Amino acid sequence: MQPVTTTDHTRSLTAESRNETVELLTKALQLGIDFKLQSDVFLERIPSVQARDRLISALPVHPGKVEDALVEFAESMLPLCKNEASPQFLGFGDTGDDVGALVGGVLALLTQQNLINQSFDSPSATFVEITALRWLRELIGFANPPVEDLTTVFDVGGIITHGGTMSNSLAMMLAREHKMPGTMETGVHDPGQFSIVVPRDLGHYSVKSALKWIGLGHQVIEVDTDGFRYDLRALERALREHEGRIMSVVAYAGDSRTQTVDDLRGVRDVVRTADERIWLHADACWGLMCSFSDRLRGKLAGIEDYDSVTVDPHKVMAIPHSLGALLVRDPASLKAISSHSGLIMGDDFDFGQVTPFIGTKAWLSLKLWMMMRTRGRSGLAELAESRVEKALRFAELVDSHERLIRLHKVDMTAVTFMYVPADVDVAAPDIERINEANLRIHERMLADGRWHLHHFGLPDDDGILKYGVTLYPMRFMAVNPHIEEHHMTAVLDYILRLGAAFDEGSL
Ligand SMILES: Cc1ncc(COP(=O)(O)O)c(C=O)c1O
């Protein structure tokens, strides 16, 4: 056998390639930062098939230079990327541009800690993750044990995940084990016993899919809503009707469309009165934001009594993807879904024991720790309050236009609204024509590529146009820190111009 003689200095990080690597990483950082600072959402828009043909290529036969790959990235991929940090991007969640979180993300990449195991793989990272989880628990109102009583991962009361979908899925596993302890071992015998209750048309798909992923099938009971929140009397009726076969009720601290917060106390009282054994889960992917501020926290009153709460820092904390968490009121409840392997998860603080579906896990929580460490309580409060103020201002602007109509009360950062064509009488609205106008406006907006608002189907739950019909509005989200007053007025002017074109038949 040939002796091993050389290290490949061009492709591995070594003392010799250190400076060159720093230079390359600096170039990469500059590219990424300039991308985030570009004012456009997209530099180039092409049909999916063209993107496919441009980007899918064969594996190169010979080695190439990283510089060349960087050039290819900058020229052919980056222009097609969506820049959520553009002030014209008013469409969804966060822009991921908290500087502390970006620094944490880079360091997590370079330190290569693996949160599956504490003593060997992440001796310090595990305790940073625990710290971040304790900070989140405190914000939600869950009690933390004193540090000296933290002896295993089952005392922590939370898990860092890749996002809301994973957190909700784990919550459904917890609900399943709570309903029928030992199902992890015995398997599911009678799926009909594991139903969940969700608000009709408003529940996020993740809990429904989770039931299928964990072997329970479609066991979903949809309950009517009023003003985008559970109708508590309808909830009471459903609990009576399906008595004994409900494993969980899922409430929303901010639904995916209007971000309306359920009456969490009311839901809790109805559920606990009906059946104390039902697992109460709150999806606070968006609602976490309210916990940052004394002025907004009241919206979440009651959440501290829920058995589990999903939070999604990558939606509301300016943290780059991906990072979610599941918090549980009783830390020991995580034992019900734990796994053990002497090979890698044999130590008391190994998070791998309580993260079903996840083996190796990066140090995602460093981004969160950096963000919270550097913003502090007052910085978090300011972030939440300024966003809500922006949303309220946008709502005011919508309300001031005769041809625009707002579909809900602003609870957090979402404002959902529609253009009403000039020939429509809102007292006897032609819903089809209103929907068509908004569909056309949104299509044109996407094709122009300058502004971005979200567009989806929504029941008219407040009866603004006609109670119960499905509307296809646009939605503004006030989570982008770069949005200023002039962006809000400009996007509305743009929509009104497109609306006028629709009225004239030229859109
Ligand atoms: C209410 C709610 N729950 C869960 C999710 C899923 O979160 P993620 O995309 O982080 O998995 C979303 C995503 O928009 C959401 O709005």
Side-chain angles (χ1 to χ4, degrees), residues 103-295:
V103 169
V106 170
L107 288 173
L109 208 65
L110 290 170
T111 49
Q112 181 87 342
Q113 302 300 285
N114 183 352
L115 271 293
I116 194 171
N117 163 286
Q118 184 266 320
S119 61
F120 182 67
D121 282 321
S122 55
S124 59
T126 298
F127 296 105
V128 173
E129 188 139 318
I130 291 175
T131 305
L133 285 164
R134 284 168 68 88
W135 288 348
L136 292 175
R137 284 177 61 83
E138 200 179 322
L139 288 171
I140 284 295
F142 283 164
N144 280 318
V147 176
E148 59 274 22
D149 291 350
L150 274 177
T151 55
T152 73
V153 78
F154 302 107
D155 301 320
V156 176
I159 323 170
I160 293 291
T161 69
H162 294 102
T165 303
M166 174 65 90
S167 301
N168 282 339
S169 301
L170 299 183
M172 293 302 100
M173 274 183 83
L174 283 168
R176 188 192 65 188
E177 293 308 305
H178 186 70
K179 178 82 202 287
M180 208 65 82
T183 302
M184 286 264 286
E185 293 300 322
T186 60
V188 176
H189 293 304
D190 180 3
Q193 297 298 304
F194 298 95
S195 301
I196 62 165
V197 171
V198 298
R200 190 180 306 287
D201 296 332
L202 297 175
H204 189 262
Y205 83 91
S206 53
V207 283
K208 300 177 196 171
S209 298
L211 297 192
K212 297 180 185 174
W213 298 332
I214 64 172
L216 301 177
H218 184 78
Q219 304 295 342
V220 180
I221 299 163
E222 294 205 277
V223 165
D224 287 343
T225 55
D226 187 14
F228 304 99
R229 314 159 104 197
Y230 273 119
D231 171 341
L232 294 182
R233 274 183 308 218
L235 178 60
E236 225 173 327
R237 278 196 303 275
L239 295 179
R240 249 196 327 269
E241 193 184 325
H242 299 279
E243 193 186 342
R245 61 181 207 88
I246 296 171
M247 71 167 187
S248 178
V249 170
V250 181
Y252 285 84
D255 70 87
S256 313
R257 291 171 171 81
T258 65
Q259 291 191 338
T260 304
V261 182
D262 263 315
D263 172 0
L264 297 171
R265 256 196 203 134
V267 171
R268 174 202 65 192
D269 291 345
V270 166
V271 173
R272 294 282 190 239
T273 306
D275 184 347
E276 291 233 313
R277 292 162 304 169
I278 291 175
W279 186 267
L280 259 178
H281 176 63
D283 181 332
C285 277
W286 298 107
L288 171 67
M289 198 192 72
C290 296
S291 73
F292 302 163
S293 142
D294 292 341
R295 270 174 35 203

Side-chain angles (χ1 to χ4, degrees), residues 48-59 72 76-77:
S48 310
V49 172
Q50 267 181 39
R52 178 196 69 188
D53 295 344
R54 182 196 293 184
L55 295 169
I56 298 181
S57 60
L59 175 67
E72 186 180 334
S76 63
M77 301 171 202

